[in-house]
Amino acid sequence: MLGGQVLAQDALAVDSPKWSIAIHGGAGTITRERMTPELEAQYEAALQNALDAGAKILADGGSALDAIQAAIVLMEDDPKFNAGRGAVYTWDGANELDASIMDGRDRSAGAVTGVTSIKNPILLADKVRTESVHVFLSGKGAEEFAATQDIETAEPEWFETESRKRALERVKAEQLSALDVDHKFGTVGAVALDQDGNLAAGTSTGGMTAKRWGRIGDAPVIGAGTYADNRSCAVSATGWGEYFIRVGVAQEICTLIRVHSSREPVICDEDQIPSGTERAYPCRLPGNIEPEIAQAAADYAMDEVQALGGDGGIILVTPEGHALYSFNTAGMYRGRATSEGVNEVAIFGEVLAGEE
């Protein structure tokens, strides 16, 4: 698999405070031939800015949830990515936005789909997680809920970009599919481990060009495009959403890691049990999850996607801070940073410096 076996550097020191973050800005037919040096530099700078925003929060002792939201908001606001501003157009010429977020401590989650006026959908997804009794809200109802939560909105002009308009025009004029004009899946996402040992994952997207009939991809679907569990991993996906939903990619990876670690979960101390949880709550697995186990789980899930006919990629962080990637496309906009001093971004399929 292209992009498989992309392992983190040496494991983080077990006895020191540690943190880790990985981000993505989409995967697809991303090659040097399709990109000018100027555009490559712009994407690298955008990825680095998002990575730095999340890393700073983690380095300062902030939460994984805050770190991933900080990184994703910057990418939602950047028209180079298919999320928030710069989202692709539906068949009817609108921008419909999806996002989801998950807390690995208690597996609380929030998601929104089909919103059209929310400036940063990832922030609304988190409000669904924390301020409602629901997990998944859609369309008008999600926007009505946003109005009760002081979530910033934006006019349609904020989301519009000429390149996305041209892509829609090509699909209609030349009777093309979205894959003919979307050489990359521009979904954005982030996963993180904070110094308290908690994991979080988030994903945001505009979907696929010329999508119709209220189509929903994997990005807002908990277990497909986003999943986080302190016992195993945090995952955010990007790719051909229908296939990621069918495989249940994000949860599949975390479940494989948990099962193949062959360890019984450690039960939380009383002060670690999430509020409202009445039973003994499994916090994590004892010992270390080897990066090879996590990588094999990620590659297996991506092989399943490919076997069905889909493509894309994932980012993953383990409780030990291993930051991994797996993708079966020519490239994936990606980056990672850790408390051990790793700080790097990449676009194309070649292995990053220092990776095995």
Side-chain angles (χ1 to χ4, degrees):
M1 168 185 297
L2 182 60
Q5 302 306 318
V6 183
L7 300 180
Q9 294 185 343
D10 292 341
L12 303 179
V14 174
D15 58 352
S16 63
K18 58 182 179 289
W19 55 264
S20 183
I21 183 169
I23 65 170
H24 70 75
T29 310
I30 305 167
T31 62
R32 294 189 186 278
E33 292 74 23
R34 290 183 179 273
M35 188 173 296
T36 66
E38 293 77 16
L39 188 57
E40 179 180 347
Q42 291 173 22
Y43 270 107
E44 288 179 343
L47 290 168
Q48 190 66 62
N49 287 340
L51 189 64
D52 288 346
K56 183 179 188 307
I57 289 172
L58 296 171
D60 291 343
S63 73
L65 281 164
D66 287 345
I68 64 168
Q69 289 178 80
I72 291 173
V73 162
L74 286 179
M75 291 188 283
E76 286 179 332
D77 288 346
D78 191 322
K80 287 187 289 298
F81 300 107
N82 174 21
R85 189 182 190 193
V88 298
Y89 285 83
T90 67
W91 182 267
D92 296 324
N95 305 110
E96 292 183 354
L97 315 172
D98 308 329
S100 61
I101 194 167
M102 191 165 185
D103 184 347
R105 293 176 299 178
D106 58 358
R107 285 172 285 172
S108 60
V112 295
T113 187
V115 297
T116 60
S117 65
I118 306 302
K119 184 173 181 287
N120 295 111
I122 193 65
L123 301 183
L124 178 56
D126 197 50
K127 287 294 187 181
V128 174
R129 182 185 70 85
T130 61
E131 304 301 326
S132 82
V133 297
H134 307 299
V135 170
F136 204 167
L137 300 181
S138 67
K140 182 180 178 181
E143 296 192 343
E144 289 175 352
F145 171 73
T148 72
Q149 299 298 317
D150 197 29
I151 291 289
E152 185 175 0
T153 59
E155 295 299 320
E157 293 76 16
W158 166 256
F159 305 104
E160 294 176 355
T161 56
E162 286 303 315
S163 63
R164 303 299 192 191
K165 285 183 179 179
R166 290 194 298 271
L168 177 61
E169 290 167 358
R170 281 193 61 204
V171 167
K172 289 186 170 184
E174 302 175 33
Q175 296 185 328
L176 302 173
S177 74
L179 298 179
D180 293 316
V181 296
D182 291 342
H183 300 299
K184 62 181 179 62
F185 302 98
T187 299
V188 306
V191 293
L193 168 75
D194 62 34
Q195 294 188 41
D196 292 325
N198 295 317
L199 295 168
T203 312
S204 182
T205 190
M208 299 182 77
T209 297
K211 62 184 180 181
R212 304 176 78 173
W213 308 301
R215 179 263 185 188
I216 302 169
D218 66 303
V221 178
I222 300 300
T226 301
Y227 202 76
D229 184 342
N230 276 12
R231 300 172 298 174
S232 54
C233 68
V235 174
S236 175
T238 176
W240 195 341
E242 281 73 8
Y243 295 94
F244 281 72
I245 292 171
R246 289 164 63 186
V247 174
V249 166
Q251 186 175 15
E252 175 84 348
I253 292 169
C254 291
T255 299
L256 286 170
I257 290 172
R258 192 172 77 250
V259 170
H260 288 284
S261 66
S262 300
R263 301 181 180 99
E264 291 298 320
V266 169
I267 302 301
C268 288
D269 294 333
E270 186 173 344
D271 61 354
Q272 293 177 297
I273 298 175
S275 176
T277 303
E278 297 180 356
R279 60 181 174 79
Y281 189 83
C283 285
R284 57 182 173 80
L285 297 171
N288 292 330
I289 295 173
E290 296 298 326
E292 291 80 8
I293 291 176
Q295 188 69 58
D299 290 345
Y300 176 84
M302 288 308 304
D303 285 344
E304 288 286 286
V305 168
Q306 191 167 37
L308 293 178
D311 57 3
I314 64 94
I315 54 173
L316 177 155
V317 167
T318 71
E320 292 71 37
H322 303 299
L324 313 177
Y325 315 101
S326 185
F327 53 97
N328 58 18
T329 52
M332 181 167 74
Y333 297 111
R334 62 199 188 276
R336 65 180 179 182
T338 75
S339 52
E340 291 290 281
V342 174
N343 189 310
E344 55 200 7
V345 298
I347 297 175
F348 308 110
E350 61 263 24
V351 173
L352 292 173
E355 293 176 334
E356 298 177 1

